[in-house]
Amino acid sequence: MRSAVLVTLAATYSSAVGLPETYHLDRRDDLAHSPPVYPSPWMSPNAIGWEEAYQKAKDFVSQLHLDEKVNLTTGVGWQGEQCVGQVGSIPRLGFRSLCMQDSPLGVRFGDYSSAFPSGQTVAASFDRDLFYRRGQAIGAEHKGKGVTVVLGPVAGPIGRTPEGGRNWEGFSPDPWLSGIGIAETTKGIQDAGVIACAKHYIANEQEHFRQVGESVGRGFNISGTLSSNIDDKTMHELYLWPFVDVVKAGVGSIMCSYNQVNNSYACQNSKLLNGLLKSELGFQGFVMSDWQAQHSGVASAVAGLDMTMPGDTEFNTGLSYWGTNLTLAVINGTVPEYRIDDMAMRIMAAFFKVGLELDQPEINFDSWTLDTYGPIHYAANEGFQQINWHVDVQNGHGALIREVAAKSTVLLKNEGALPLKKPKFLAVVGEDAGPSALGPNGCADRGCDEGTLAMGWGSGTANFPYLIAPIDALNFQAADDGTRIEAVLNNSATSQITDLVSQADATALVFVNADSGEGYIEYDGNAGDRKNLTLWGNGDEIIKNVSSLCNNTIVIIHSVGPTLLTDWYDSPNVTAIIWAGLPGQESGRSIVDVLYGKVNPAARTPFTWGAKREDYGTDVLYEPNNGDGAPQQDFTEGVFIDYRHFDKKNITPIYEFGFGLSYTTFEYSDLAVEKKYPTAYNPTAGETAEAPTFGAGFSTDLNDYLFPSDSFRYIWQYIYPYVNTSSSAAEASQDPHYGQTADEFLPSKAIDAAAQPLHPAGPTLDGESGGNNGLWDELYTVTAQITNTGDVAGDEVVQLYVSLGGSDDPPVVLRGFDRIHIEPGQSVQFNTTLVRRDLSNWDTASQNWVITDHPKTVYVGPSSRKLPLSASLS
C-alpha cells in the first residue's frame, strides 16, 4: 500500500501543472505545455435537463459513507467481475455494481447480440434518423445484457490522418458531421435507458505510442505516451467541436484518452477536464479514464477525473491509484470532501438521467468466457456460479443493420454498369467476397483479415451472431434471376481468376478491402495504424489484372477509410466503384440491395480520397522523435485536415469529401437566405455557488475503514476502498509531502471550495450545457429547391457549406446537411438554419467565440466541391 501512496503523491505536482508525467521535473524547454486550471468545477443543480437527476443523485449520495463514495469512483480491477469494467457495489442500499462495456458497434464479448455497421460507415449515410435509430438499437442490446454504460460513441480519433487505426470507430474528419453523428447516436443510446460514454477525449489520433508498455514491447524506448501538441484555436474549431455537440446532447459520461495533450496526460490534464469540459462546456456528467490511462492519484482527482477504469494501475496487479489511496487522500485533506462528493454526484446524476433505478437488472453475460458456468471473479478464479444466461437481445435488428449498411454505401463511379438487371454471367473475385475459413469470430477481437471485412479490430468490436458474406447473397440473387455465377475466393489464384473473368459476357465483381484497429493487435505489420493506404491482399493488382481482361469490372471496397485508387480508378474497363465501409453482419444482403437497385445509393464519402498519400498533409508518427522521452506529435496543420487541407493547397482529389452518385439525377435552384435578428452575444458572467458537500461528513478514524473481514472474504486482485491496518497513514507519512497541507504542494486553487467565476464562453448556471447559450441563437434560415430530374425515386444528400472569409480559415466548412427523398419529377425544399456557432471563430485573446468582419458566404450543393448555389451573408 505504501508504495502506491508514494507514487500518488510524488506524481501530484508534475502532473497537475501539466508537465510530462515522468515522476521527475526534467523537461525540454521547447516542449508544448498545458496550463493549470483549478479547482475542478462542481455540478450545477439547475443545468437544463439535469435538474431531476441532480436531485435524485443528491438524495442518494447524501446517504453514502466515504468508502461507498470511493467505491463508486474506482474500478474493481481487470477481470474482477463480468464486464470489461465495473465499479464497486453498495449492498447496504441495494445498489449493484455499474457495468461498463464496449463497444460502439455492439455488445463486445456478448452472444446473441448484433454486430452493427461502424460509426464511419453510418456517417456516410448523412442521415440523422439512421444515426439515432442505430444508437437506440445498440443501447437497447446493451441494456438487455445488463450493461449500465456503453463505451461509445467515438469522436476521438476524429481522423486527423487517414492511416489512423481506429478512425472507423468514429464518424468523420469533418467536425460538424462528426458532431451530429456522435450527438444523435448518444441520444439514441440514452433513450434506450443506458449511459453513453463519448470517447476518446481528446486528440487520440493514432495507435503508435499510445501506451508505454505496448510501445516498449515493440522495441521502442520511450518513457511517456505520445503528446498531441495542439494550439488553442485548433482545439476549439476542430477537435473539441464534436464533443461540444455530445455534451449539449446530454451525454452522461466522457472517456479521457491514453495520449498526452501538450505534455500532460489527458486523464489528469486540468486544462482539458476542468477548463474546457466542465467549465467552458458545462459538462454535468462524469469523466472516466480509458483502461490504464490514469497515471496518478491526487493529481488526476483534482484535475477533474471522476472514475478510474478498470481500477488497477496495470492489469491484474491489484494496485490502484484510487481505492484505498483515495480514501486516505480524502481523510488527510489532499482531496477535498467536495471533490469526492462531486465525483459521486456526477456518476449518479448520469445514472438517474437515463431513467435507471436502483433495482437494475442483473448482468447476464460474461466478458471472459461464453461458458454458462464459471468464476464470477475471473482473475481470481473464484465464485463459481452461473455467469452467462445467453439472453437473446437482437430483437430483429438485422433488418435495421441491413438498412443502415445499404443506405451508407457510396457509389463512387458508375458508367452505366449499375444497377444490375439479371446479368447473364457474374464472375465474382476476391477473398473479401467470401466467408473466413476460421468463422466470423475466429480471430480474437477480429484481429485478422480473413474473408469479407465487416468490422475492424480491437475493443471496438462485437461478436457476429452471423455474417452474410457477399457471395452468399449474390448466389441467392443469381438463383432468383437465372444468372450464371462463379467465384474465385483466393487472391493468390491468379490463373483461375484470369480464366474466370476472360470468359464471354462476364460482369466481374471484384471485392477488396483494407483493415486496421486498436494498437494492442498487430496484423501483417500494421500495429493498429495502417502502414500504407494501399488495398490489402494484393487488391490493387487484382483489380488491374481483372480490368485488363474484362471490360465490365465493378469494384466493391470494404475498408476502414480511404485507399489509393490512382492506378486503376479511371480505367474505362472499371465501370463502377462502390465503397461499402464496414457494414456489419448484413454485409452481403446490403451490398446486393445496392448493386441491384433495391436501394438507390445516396450516401456520401465522409472523407476525401486522395491521389497519393502525401496529398493529405498529415501522417502517423511511426518512430519516436524525442529520445527516450514522450514522442511529440505537433499538429502544425491546425484545422486543415482532410478536405480542408486539399482545398487550401488546391490539391485535386480523386473523390472529394461529400461526394457520391445515385441512379437518378438532381438539380439545385432557388437559393434563399433569410436573416434573423437574435439578441446580441454576451459573455457569460457571474459566479457559481460555493462547493457543496453531501451527507453527514466522514470519520477521520482509520479504524472505521478497516477491511470488513467479518462481512466477506477478500478476493485476490480485487480493488477495495478499505485500509488493511490503522497504521496506513503512518506508512503514507514516509512521503516527502506528509505533514504539509495540500495548498503547500498542490497547484494554486487546486482544492479551493469558494465560489468560482463562470467561464465567459460557458453556459449560465441555469442554462443548457454545450457552451455559452448564445452560440445556439439562429442567425439565418437557408432554403433551396431540389428537383429529381431522373426517372427513378431516390434520396439526395443536400449539403451546406460556409466560407468564414479569413485568410486562416478553410475555403469552405460543412455547416449543414439533410437527406431528402424525392420522387421522379418532384421538387422538394431543403431547409436549414445557421446558428451563431456555425459562423464563429475562436478568439484566443478574448477566450471566446466571435464572428469576424470577414465576408461570409453560404454554398449549397451535393458535395464539398460541387456547390452550384451561393449567397453572401450580410
Side-chain angles (χ1 to χ4, degrees):
M1 183 182 300
R2 185 185 71 192
S3 61
V5 174
L6 291 173
V7 170
T8 299
L9 298 178
T12 297
Y13 182 75
S14 64
S15 60
V17 300
L19 300 179
E21 184 66 34
T22 55
Y23 305 113
H24 56 74
L25 298 181
D26 296 339
R27 56 169 285 138
R28 281 172 41 194
D29 292 336
D30 62 340
L31 295 185
H33 170 69
S34 186
V37 178
Y38 294 95
S40 186
W42 38 91
M43 292 186 71
S44 169
N46 301 314
I48 292 177
W50 289 83
E51 305 96 328
E52 182 180 352
Y54 183 97
Q55 188 58 52
K56 288 183 176 180
K58 178 181 177 181
D59 293 343
F60 182 80
V61 172
S62 296
Q63 303 176 63
L64 300 183
H65 304 150
L66 174 58
D67 54 351
E68 293 170 331
K69 295 173 184 177
V70 170
N71 233 18
L72 270 180
T73 69
T74 306
V76 300
W78 181 243
Q79 299 179 329
E81 292 193 45
Q82 292 164 278
C83 303
V84 295
Q86 289 182 237
V87 294
S89 60
I90 305 174
R92 183 175 64 88
L93 299 179
F95 183 80
R96 80 146 168 85
S97 175
L98 301 180
C99 167
M100 273 59 73
Q101 195 71 14
D102 303 302
S103 78
L105 57 69
V107 183
R108 187 186 183 197
F109 300 131
D111 58 0
Y112 302 98
S113 56
S114 303
F116 289 80
S118 72
Q120 183 188 69
T121 303
V122 73
S125 74
F126 280 71
D127 190 325
R128 287 175 174 83
D129 180 60
L130 284 187
F131 295 162
Y132 176 86
R133 288 196 287 135
R134 172 182 172 274
Q136 189 177 46
I138 290 172
E141 294 204 6
H142 279 83
K143 187 174 181 66
K145 288 291 189 181
V147 173
T148 321
V149 183
V150 178
L151 302 178
V154 175
I158 195 172
R160 173 181 179 264
T161 65
E163 302 86 359
R166 300 181 76 176
N167 292 353
W168 57 271
E169 292 185 34
F171 295 95
S172 168
D174 179 81
W176 207 93
L177 175 56
S178 190
I180 299 299
I182 195 172
E184 292 300 319
T185 304
T186 291
K187 292 175 186 177
I189 290 172
Q190 297 197 161
D191 283 353
V194 287
I195 302 167
C197 180
K199 63 182 187 181
H200 307 81
Y201 183 79
I202 195 169
N204 179 64
E205 295 297 319
Q206 66 172 61
E207 294 304 283
H208 280 71
F209 315 125
R210 68 183 190 135
Q211 294 192 73
V212 172
E214 194 173 272
S215 302
V216 170
R218 293 196 169 115
F220 295 110
N221 181 26
I222 63 173
S223 59
T225 66
L226 177 139
S227 178
S228 299
N229 300 326
I230 309 176
D231 65 90
D232 189 31
K233 179 179 172 68
T234 299
M235 175 63 77
H236 281 83
E237 295 186 7
L238 181 57
Y239 296 98
L240 189 65
W241 188 284
F243 286 99
V244 174
D245 287 304
V246 80
V247 168
K248 184 173 172 58
V251 70
S253 178
I254 287 181
M255 182 190 293
C256 52
S257 51
Y258 286 121
N259 56 291
Q260 300 184 67
V261 176
N262 297 330
N263 289 288
S264 178
Y265 280 104
C267 287
Q268 59 195 48
N269 186 313
S270 62
K271 171 66 176 176
L272 296 181
L273 304 184
N274 293 340
L276 297 181
L277 187 58
K278 293 184 176 180
S279 181
E280 185 180 322
L281 302 191
F283 175 56
Q284 300 296 304
F286 65 97
V287 177
M288 174 198 303
S289 76
D290 204 340
W291 271 232
Q292 296 184 146
Q294 185 188 29
H295 295 271
S296 66
V298 173
S300 58
V302 297
L305 184 67
D306 300 304
M307 179 187 288
T308 174
M309 279 289 124
D312 33 15
T313 57
E314 295 182 5
F315 291 164
N316 302 122
T317 61
L319 301 174
S320 179
Y321 291 116
W322 283 4
T324 300
N325 286 317
L326 184 54
T327 301
L328 290 171
V330 175
I331 291 171
N332 67 28
T334 52
V335 171
E337 183 181 3
Y338 76 78
R339 179 78 268 268
I340 187 67
D341 282 358
D342 188 61
M343 294 177 192
M345 281 290 296
R346 289 173 175 274
I347 294 166
M348 293 310 303
F351 178 89
F352 289 120
K353 188 177 190 298
V354 300
L356 288 164
E357 300 293 342
L358 299 188
D359 57 343
Q360 296 181 75
E362 291 301 312
I363 302 163
N364 58 49
F365 75 105
D366 191 271
S367 297
W368 321 117
T369 177
L370 293 176
D371 293 344
T372 303
Y373 296 92
I376 193 74
H377 304 293
Y378 190 83
N381 196 32
E382 290 197 31
F384 191 86
Q385 62 183 63
Q386 184 170 355
I387 53 177
N388 278 309
W389 278 258
H390 312 293
V391 176
D392 190 336
V393 295
Q394 295 172 89
N395 197 28
H397 290 147
L400 172 62
I401 292 168
R402 180 177 179 175
E403 178 188 0
V404 171
K407 288 184 175 179
S408 303
T409 298
V410 183
L411 181 61
L412 295 171
K413 180 180 181 179
N414 188 21
E415 302 296 331
L418 296 175
L420 297 175
K421 297 174 182 176
K422 296 186 177 181
K424 186 175 183 180
F425 171 36
L426 279 182
V428 182
V429 172
E431 293 170 6
D432 185 71
S436 167
L438 304 175
N441 301 313
C443 298
D445 292 338
R446 315 296 82 78
C448 63
D449 185 30
E450 303 287 337
T452 195
L453 180 66
M455 68 174 71
W457 73 66
S459 64
T461 59
N463 289 337
F464 288 102
Y466 60 83
L467 175 55
I468 298 176
I471 190 60
D472 299 328
L474 285 166
N475 277 329
F476 279 108
Q477 184 66 49
D480 290 343
D481 292 344
T483 295
R484 175 190 166 203
I485 183 170
E486 293 186 36
V488 177
L489 305 180
N490 184 330
N491 285 8
S492 300
T494 304
S495 61
Q496 289 87 348
I497 292 172
T498 298
D499 291 343
L500 178 65
V501 303
S502 299
Q503 297 179 52
D505 300 318
T507 295
L509 300 181
V510 183
F511 286 83
V512 289
N513 67 40
D515 201 358
S516 70
E518 194 170 353
Y520 67 90
I521 293 174
E522 181 173 347
Y523 183 76
D524 193 27
N526 297 272
D529 305 309
R530 284 189 283 170
K531 60 187 178 183
N532 53 49
L533 295 179
T534 59
L535 291 168
W536 288 28
N538 206 31
D540 294 294
E541 293 304 314
I542 293 172
I543 294 168
K544 287 189 284 185
N545 178 40
V546 171
S547 61
S548 71
L549 301 168
C550 177
N551 64 4
N552 191 16
T553 299
I554 299 168
V555 177
I556 299 95
I557 303 169
H558 289 119
S559 75
V560 293
T563 62
L564 300 181
L565 316 179
T566 306
D567 289 349
W568 52 264
Y569 82 99
D570 57 354
S571 166
N573 287 351
V574 175
T575 53
I577 304 172
I578 285 176
W579 181 73
L582 302 174
Q585 68 193 42
E586 288 281 340
S587 174
R589 286 199 283 209
S590 65
I591 197 63
V592 165
D593 286 346
V594 173
L595 288 171
Y596 284 82
K598 300 171 188 177
V599 172
N600 187 346
R604 301 295 201 262
T605 175
F607 46 74
T608 301
W609 298 74
K612 56 183 184 296
R613 181 175 185 166
E614 294 75 19
D615 285 351
Y616 290 91
T618 55
D619 211 329
V620 168
L621 180 70
Y622 292 99
E623 298 289 335
N625 61 354
N626 187 27
D628 61 358
Q632 303 290 305
Q633 180 70 294
D634 297 330
F635 289 26
T636 55
E637 71 285 346
V639 300
F640 295 96
I641 66 170
D642 199 75
Y643 74 91
R644 300 169 173 214
H645 169 76
F646 280 77
D647 291 352
K648 177 184 180 183
K649 298 296 185 180
N650 198 25
I651 299 170
T652 301
I654 291 179
Y655 299 115
E656 71 270 20
F657 172 87
F659 175 82
L661 300 175
S662 170
Y663 295 151
T664 188
T665 55
F666 299 93
E667 185 178 276
Y668 287 61
S669 64
D670 301 330
L671 178 67
V673 178
E674 178 187 352
K675 185 175 182 179
K676 296 176 176 287
Y677 295 90
T679 58
Y681 179 79
N682 295 309
T684 300
E687 290 186 337
T688 69
E690 294 182 354
T693 56
F694 302 97
F698 59 91
S699 167
T700 58
D701 185 350
L702 288 183
N703 288 301
D704 292 334
Y705 302 96
L706 292 175
F707 185 89
S709 55
D710 56 338
S711 302
F712 53 85
R713 187 166 56 85
Y714 171 79
I715 303 296
W716 182 63
Q717 292 189 359
Y718 202 88
I719 308 299
Y720 297 98
Y722 309 111
V723 299
N724 292 330
T725 69
S726 59
S727 63
S728 296
E731 295 180 11
S733 70
Q734 297 180 47
D735 182 85
H737 294 298
Y738 188 80
Q740 297 177 326
T741 64
D743 287 338
E744 292 180 287
F745 74 93
L746 285 176
S748 174
K749 299 187 70 175
I751 60 172
D752 189 355
Q756 300 295 317
L758 296 174
H759 196 294
T764 58
L765 290 177
D766 58 354
E768 191 172 14
S769 298
N772 187 298
N773 305 137
L775 291 171
W776 308 98
D777 291 339
E778 294 183 356
L779 302 188
Y780 296 92
T781 297
V782 181
T783 60
Q785 290 297 117
I786 316 299
T787 302
N788 185 341
T789 56
D791 56 6
V792 296
D795 293 355
E796 175 69 346
V797 173
V798 186
Q799 300 163 53
L800 183 149
Y801 294 80
V802 168
S803 169
L804 297 174
S807 59
D808 58 348
D809 291 317
V812 294
V813 290
L814 181 69
R815 287 295 186 262
F817 63 80
D818 196 8
R819 182 168 178 147
I820 306 172
H821 183 77
I822 311 177
E823 295 294 324
Q826 182 186 20
S827 293
V828 175
Q829 187 179 77
F830 165 72
N831 189 316
T832 191
T833 57
L834 290 170
V835 300
R836 190 186 310 275
R837 178 180 180 234
D838 292 328
L839 301 177
S840 297
N841 290 97
W842 181 253
D843 180 59
T844 58
S846 65
Q847 287 293 288
N848 215 323
W849 292 95
V850 299
I851 297 180
T852 67
D853 293 332
H854 302 301
K856 309 287 189 286
T857 306
V858 62
Y859 301 89
V860 174
S863 78
S864 63
R865 288 206 171 186
K866 188 177 181 182
L867 299 167
L869 307 181
S870 64
S872 296
L873 299 177
S874 59

